């Protein structure tokens, strides 16, 4: 899901890219002159649960994001066909807004995402930047609908600052690194000073500080306190595959003799054992909420860490 790609920028960085869809779900969506909002009526939500249980042994593929819902802390993943959440009796899928979400990031009362709309949707392809509420029932376009598909997007949990890498040009933006401090409505370029010769595998927005963000990759992790204009070294000499933060803690997976999960706080670091991964499986998505962790791997497995132990929620893409 994340591969090495040499970016055609002056920074000459290395970026690990998330896999795209096999075929864009909607190549011929009708253009709209105004932003589109798809929503279910509140009365309908009260009368019926729009989540349907996934049959045992059903295949779940293309995980492009992971986290915990804000109200009940259930694990949720974004996939090629919309959102899925894990309950006590198994996986459930949302039957509305079944888009191919990319760059999925939870915030305090919703989520941000990009990607491609489902077929027969009123949204343009690609989605640009959308903000979801009501656990994905309501979706609002913030910007760049029909122009941008952000595979690399990080959102501050409470600040809602967005940090993105744009791979393909739009009508107004060239490929490169951008930030949005107005919840995805407009974007401005980041200067990225201090990142030359540092490989970049991903972006990480601080949970609370709007102008603090991180970049990480094969040479470690850099931190910026001015919205990505200048960077200082935070972690050096480590190959970092992916990272997440809940504010006080930065969690990241590094490649040592094997993969290791590190929890970094002001007072020091704690190394946690990873679950037993399938052969050739690579960690691709990570979320942290206080002492709970959610990890997804390239073979579409999902693992939950709580109460000091790992449990398997999804094994190689097969629903339990």
């Amino acid at each position: 899901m994340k591969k090495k790609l040499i970016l055609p920028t002056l920074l000459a960085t290395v970026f690990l890219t998330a896999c795209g869809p096999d075929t864009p779900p909607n190549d011929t969506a009708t253009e709209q002159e105004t932003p589109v909002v798809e929503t279910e009526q509140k009365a309908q939500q009260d009368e019926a649960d729009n989540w349907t249980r996934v049959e045992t042994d059903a295949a779940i593929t293309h995980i492009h994001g992971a986290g915990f819902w804000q109200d009940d802390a259930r694990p949720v993943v974004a996939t090629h066909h919309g959102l899925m959440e894990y309950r006590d009796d198994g996986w459930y899928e949302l039957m509305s807004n079944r888009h191919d979400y990319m760059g999925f990031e939870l915030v305090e009362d919703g989520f941000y995402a990009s990607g491609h709309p489902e077929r027969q949707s009123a949204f343009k392809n690609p989605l640009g930047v959308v903000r979801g509420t009501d656990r994905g029932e309501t979706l609002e376009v913030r910007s760049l609908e029909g122009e941008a598909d952000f595979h690399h997007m990080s959102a501050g949990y409470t600040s809602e600052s967005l940090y993105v890498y744009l791979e393909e040009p739009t009508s107004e933006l060239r490929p490169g690194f951008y930030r949005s401090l107005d919840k995805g409505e407009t974007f401005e370029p980041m200067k990225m000073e201090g990142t030359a010769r540092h490989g970049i595998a991903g972006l990480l927005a601080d949970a609370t500080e709007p102008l603090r963000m991180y970049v990480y990759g094969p040479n470690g992790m850099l931190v910026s306190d001015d919205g990505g204009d200048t960077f200082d070294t935070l972690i050096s000499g480590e190959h970092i595959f992916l990272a997440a933060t809940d504010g006080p803690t930065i969690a990241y997976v590094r490649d040592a003799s094997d993969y290791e999960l590190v929890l970094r706080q002001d007072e020091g670091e704690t190394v946690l054992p990873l679950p037993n991964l399938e052969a050739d499986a690579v960690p691709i998505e990570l979320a942290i909420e206080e002492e709970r962790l959610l990890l997804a791997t390239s073979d579409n497995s999902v693992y939950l860490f709580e109460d000091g132990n790992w449990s398997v929620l999804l094994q190689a893409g097969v629903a339990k």
Side-chain angles (χ1 to χ4, degrees), residues 246-268:
D246 64 352
T249 305
I250 296 176
Y252 65 93
V253 176
R254 68 186 178 193
D255 185 15
S257 57
D258 200 352
Y259 297 121
E260 293 181 338
L261 177 59
V262 180
L263 304 182
R264 180 186 176 95
Q265 297 178 317
D266 290 340
E267 59 268 26

Side-chain angles (χ1 to χ4, degrees), residues 24-29 115-117 123-128 145-149:
N26 181 9
D27 289 330
T28 59
H116 302 275
F123 289 102
K124 298 177 186 178
N125 183 37
L127 288 171
E145 183 185 11
E147 294 199 71
D149 172 20

Side-chain angles (χ1 to χ4, degrees), residues 43-94:
Q44 273 188 306
Q45 293 177 9
D46 292 339
E47 293 172 4
D49 185 348
N50 288 321
W51 296 78
T52 298
R53 193 181 190 283
V54 177
E55 295 295 330
T56 302
D57 296 332
I60 299 172
T61 62
H62 292 270
I63 296 174
H64 297 153
F68 298 97
W69 283 130
Q70 303 87 344
D71 54 353
D72 56 20
R74 286 175 180 163
V76 57
V77 296
T79 77
H80 194 57
H81 299 290
L83 301 182
M84 304 186 68
E85 68 176 27
Y86 188 79
R87 304 181 184 180
D88 291 340
D89 60 342
W91 285 97
Y92 283 72
E93 60 182 335
L94 180 63

Side-chain angles (χ1 to χ4, degrees), residues 49 54 59 91 134 138 146 157 169 179 182 195 207 218 224 231 234-235 242 245 267 270 292 309:
D49 185 348
V54 177
W91 285 97
D134 304 325
T138 302
Y157 190 78
R179 62 175 172 255
D182 56 8
T195 63
S224 172
F231 288 83
L234 182 65
I235 302 169
L242 70 161
T245 180
E267 59 268 26
T270 301
R292 301 172 77 220
N309 296 294

Side-chain angles (χ1 to χ4, degrees), residues 232-246:
D232 295 309
T233 300
L234 182 65
I235 302 169
S236 62
E238 299 184 17
H239 186 172
I240 298 177
F241 274 85
L242 70 161
T245 180
D246 64 352

Side-chain angles (χ1 to χ4, degrees), residues 2-17 152 165-168 175-177 197-201 218-219:
K2 290 187 170 133
K3 305 172 185 176
K4 287 187 177 179
L5 172 69
I6 303 300
L7 298 182
T9 68
L10 294 177
L11 299 175
T13 56
V14 177
F15 209 99
L16 304 187
T17 64
H152 314 286
Y165 177 72
L166 178 65
E167 297 182 63
E168 300 291 336
F177 295 92
R197 296 181 298 280
H198 280 267
I200 298 179
N219 298 313

